[in-house]
Amino acid sequence: MLEIDPNLPETHANMGIALAEMQQFADAETSLRQAIRLRPNYPEAINNLGMVLSERGNIDEAIALYQQVCNLQPGSHESQNNLANALLAHGKVDEALAVYRSLLSSPQPAPLIHSNYLFALNYDPHISVDQLAAEHRRWAEAHADQLSIDSPHFTQSPDPDRRLRIGYHGSFFPDNPATTFMLAPLANRNRQQFEVILYDDNRRPGTSNDSTAGLADRIIKTGGMNNSDFAQKVRDDQVDILIDLFGHIGEHRLQAFAIHLAPVQITYLGYCNTTGMRSIDYLITDEICDPREYDSRYVEKLIRLPGGFCCFSPPPDSPPPNASPALQRDGQITFGSFHTLAKINRDVIRVWAALLRQVPRSRLFIVRNTLTGSAITRLQQWFTEENINPDRIELRSQLPAAGHWALYHEIDISLDVWPWSGHTTACESLWMGVPIITQLGNTHAGRMVASVLTHCGRSEWIAKDEHAYIEIAQKLSEDATSLAKLRSRLREEFAASPLCDGQHFAGELESAFRNAWQTWCEQQHK
């Protein structure tokens, strides 16, 4: 088409969409900009350019483009949702929530937009746990409960001891944390007792995950299916236990789960809160993330795994821990944070600044690919307000050529965040020999790192409040030589913990599956 007529804006716009689908974002940007040059107020091209720029980390311009589309098409829910998503990616949680709320005030808001709002609420340090639970139940009342069947009929044999067919519904692409934490239970599963089907909803062309190949009896690509086809496929497969790995993240299929696709339905790992749905029977967690008094916050029944709710599988090509950065800097301690910007709120900065004042010869290193433009300005302003010299703060958006694992070679101590703690970051940090300090929260999201530290035998790095958080970090930073010795043995210590014992973890998880199945069988015989 471009050879026939190089001046058709629609062709350039469509080329941009195709290139973006292929993850060729630089070329996609070129095509979309050309479409906009040919037609300056082209809302579809402007919106898609915003999406491409978001992928490339240019969030400020993406936000401006989404705002432009909102002005051109005031009723466009897609552009408003994209705007809210971009604001959240840039750490502007309050602004993102305001846009989501305006969308929810419209008649019949889309369920995925409503889920994006729930996802963002977990970052809000001021929302109460009761309000958070109520908002999740409100989603289910609006989008799922009316689809639920009180007494669904299944043809599976209610034999409590037979081999079970387990279905996992997730997006199995590289660098997805849920994929990382699923490798151990898949690799160590009891094949005599459990058949496994992966329903792979990865919708990114060219990003299939080779690490899951061979770990399941079948892998079924569901990314192109609508909910009805997906539901029919699961039913045809006669799945006994269906596990949701999305929760309210991404393009989930919770509405399909609402119509009861399997006798037992479980949500696990992908999300840090209740689904709010009565058709989801169980949520898998542990005693640290969810103490007994938390039961009333969930619609699901809680299954608490004794050895922790997750098992970490580090990539085989991860580099080894390096020598102590502090000793290379004449004893200067480098604190580090690699968390998503939505987790780095004003309260977190206030406590980090107090820590820097308490440890005068220290610096703070913050890295995130979205840490550009106004996000840098905001963090710099917050530290200035706390009277922290800018020379002590290093803000970076570019990853080293060796990948994000090499970032841990530059820091001595990782600093966790709240109210949503950095679960994957904590596991990566410990694997790289870097201790992490966390503050015990009052939600599942705020207690995941506490669970990691408890089950790897390092509960002394869990603070009960801000004062203890600073005190623990200060104590660790006082002796650079001891910190270097800790760095040299922490990976081995972590690897020997339950958090890396795939065989034991798989046994605990499968025992939970068997118990849930037996409960269902008992109900059928009543």
Side-chain angles (χ1 to χ4, degrees):
M1 283 295 297
L2 290 175
E3 288 177 3
I4 295 169
D5 187 347
N7 295 315
L8 280 177
E10 294 89 351
T11 309
H12 289 282
N14 289 337
M15 178 68 85
I17 293 170
L19 290 166
E21 288 287 337
M22 296 169 65
Q23 311 288 297
Q24 296 179 23
F25 296 116
D27 292 337
E29 179 182 342
T30 300
S31 291
L32 289 164
R33 289 193 186 279
Q34 179 62 15
I36 296 166
R37 275 192 289 270
L38 293 168
R39 183 183 296 170
N41 291 323
Y42 190 171
E44 292 81 9
I46 296 169
N47 183 69
N48 287 324
L49 178 58
M51 295 170 67
V52 166
L53 293 178
S54 292
E55 290 283 351
R56 302 197 73 194
N58 187 351
I59 309 296
D60 279 325
E61 188 178 356
I63 289 171
L65 290 168
Y66 293 141
Q67 289 170 332
Q68 183 182 350
V69 180
C70 290
N71 293 332
L72 291 169
Q73 297 179 323
S76 170
H77 286 194
E78 180 187 1
S79 57
Q80 292 178 64
N81 180 60
N82 289 341
L83 172 61
N85 292 345
L87 289 167
L88 189 65
H90 231 203
K92 299 175 180 179
V93 176
D94 290 342
E95 294 179 43
L97 287 171
V99 178
Y100 288 131
R101 288 188 181 108
S102 70
L103 286 166
L104 296 185
S105 66
S106 63
Q108 296 182 325
L112 290 178
I113 291 176
H114 198 163
S115 287
N116 288 343
Y117 170 64
L118 297 182
F119 175 74
L121 280 178
N122 291 286
Y123 293 110
D124 185 352
H126 307 298
I127 191 171
S128 71
V129 292
D130 290 338
Q131 184 184 353
L132 197 54
E135 290 289 346
H136 284 76
R137 291 187 175 96
R138 187 161 75 93
W139 183 95
E141 291 167 1
H143 307 291
D145 286 350
Q146 70 273 23
L147 304 173
S148 183
I149 302 169
D150 289 334
S151 299
H153 174 71
F154 297 100
T155 59
Q156 286 93 323
S157 168
D159 177 353
D161 300 315
R162 67 174 175 82
R163 188 179 191 232
L164 297 179
R165 182 170 292 163
I166 309 295
Y168 290 98
H169 174 240
S171 186
F172 300 97
F173 62 87
D175 300 325
N176 182 357
T179 302
T180 299
F181 289 101
M182 281 306 304
L183 293 178
L186 289 174
N188 293 278
R189 65 189 173 90
N190 185 330
R191 295 172 185 261
Q192 284 69 47
Q193 289 292 315
F194 299 94
E195 175 189 352
V196 167
I197 301 173
L198 300 186
Y199 295 99
D200 186 1
D201 231 309
N202 178 16
R203 307 182 190 193
R204 303 182 180 187
T207 60
S208 61
N209 196 330
D210 294 336
S211 61
T212 57
L215 298 184
D217 294 280
R218 283 186 284 161
I219 299 177
I220 299 171
K221 302 293 185 181
T222 58
M225 294 183 183
N226 58 36
N227 272 355
S228 296
D229 291 341
F230 170 78
Q232 190 59 53
K233 179 58 183 169
V234 174
R235 282 179 168 153
D236 290 346
D237 287 338
Q238 292 279 284
V239 170
D240 299 309
I241 300 177
L242 183 62
I243 297 135
D244 157 57
L245 298 174
F246 279 100
H248 286 283
I249 291 179
E251 297 188 56
H252 60 71
R253 295 187 186 271
L254 290 179
Q255 286 184 299
F257 278 73
I259 61 177
H260 298 271
L261 304 182
V264 177
Q265 298 192 139
I266 299 174
T267 187
Y268 175 51
L269 198 61
Y271 189 56
C272 64
N273 215 315
T274 179
T275 62
M277 298 168 57
R278 63 178 186 232
S279 60
I280 303 287
D281 303 293
Y282 300 98
L283 182 147
I284 295 175
T285 181
D286 63 35
E287 292 277 3
I288 305 300
C289 288
D290 291 288
R292 296 289 167 176
E293 60 268 25
Y294 284 16
D295 283 6
S296 61
R297 302 177 183 182
Y298 293 86
V299 175
E300 308 88 349
K301 295 182 181 69
L302 298 186
I303 296 174
R304 295 176 172 90
L305 299 183
F309 76 100
C310 70
C311 189
F312 182 64
S313 298
D317 59 350
S318 58
N322 65 331
S324 166
L327 293 183
Q328 297 174 48
R329 287 178 169 268
D330 193 28
Q332 184 188 43
I333 296 294
T334 300
F335 297 108
S337 162
F338 308 141
H339 306 284
T340 181
L341 297 186
K343 293 184 177 183
I344 305 177
N345 56 59
R346 188 66 180 81
D347 289 344
V348 168
I349 295 298
R350 174 177 52 79
V351 174
W352 286 355
L355 172 60
L356 291 172
R357 288 193 293 270
Q358 202 70 21
V359 186
R361 290 195 70 245
S362 64
R363 59 194 288 270
L364 176 60
F365 181 37
I366 303 175
V367 183
R368 197 71 192 183
N369 66 322
T370 51
L371 187 50
T372 58
S374 63
I376 292 176
T377 303
R378 181 177 69 253
L379 292 185
Q380 289 174 333
Q381 177 63 31
W382 285 350
F383 280 112
T384 298
E385 291 169 0
E386 296 292 338
N387 297 314
I388 299 298
N389 190 316
D391 292 343
R392 299 181 66 189
I393 311 296
E394 182 178 351
L395 306 177
R396 190 191 300 173
S397 62
Q398 296 297 317
L399 297 180
H404 81 280
W405 290 94
L407 293 171
Y408 293 98
H409 286 166
E410 302 186 52
I411 66 173
D412 299 285
I413 300 171
S414 283
L415 299 179
D416 195 25
V417 285
W418 55 90
W420 191 339
S421 58
H423 167 227
T424 303
T425 302
C427 292
E428 292 180 349
S429 183
L430 294 168
W431 183 251
M432 294 302 295
V434 180
I436 184 165
I437 316 302
T438 191
Q439 182 179 181
L440 188 64
N442 64 348
T443 63
H444 180 109
R447 301 169 71 94
M448 290 188 289
V449 174
S451 173
V452 169
L453 290 175
T454 298
H455 290 101
C456 77
R458 286 294 180 174
S459 56
E460 70 270 22
W461 297 339
I462 305 171
K464 65 180 184 300
D465 55 30
E466 294 174 359
H467 175 76
Y469 181 97
I470 295 170
E471 187 176 36
I472 293 168
Q474 180 186 9
K475 184 177 180 181
L476 265 178
S477 66
E478 285 175 348
D479 187 345
T481 302
S482 296
L483 196 58
K485 291 178 180 177
L486 174 65
R487 189 183 191 93
S488 68
R489 67 175 186 269
L490 193 54
R491 174 178 288 194
E492 183 178 355
E493 180 182 299
F494 183 51
S497 77
L499 287 163
C500 293
D501 188 343
Q503 186 171 5
H504 183 75
F505 179 81
E508 287 191 352
L509 188 63
E510 290 171 351
S511 177
F513 292 162
R514 181 62 66 181
N515 290 338
W517 176 253
Q518 291 174 345
T519 298
W520 181 79
C521 292
E522 290 169 4
Q523 293 168 349
Q524 306 315 299
H525 291 304
K526 288 182 180 179

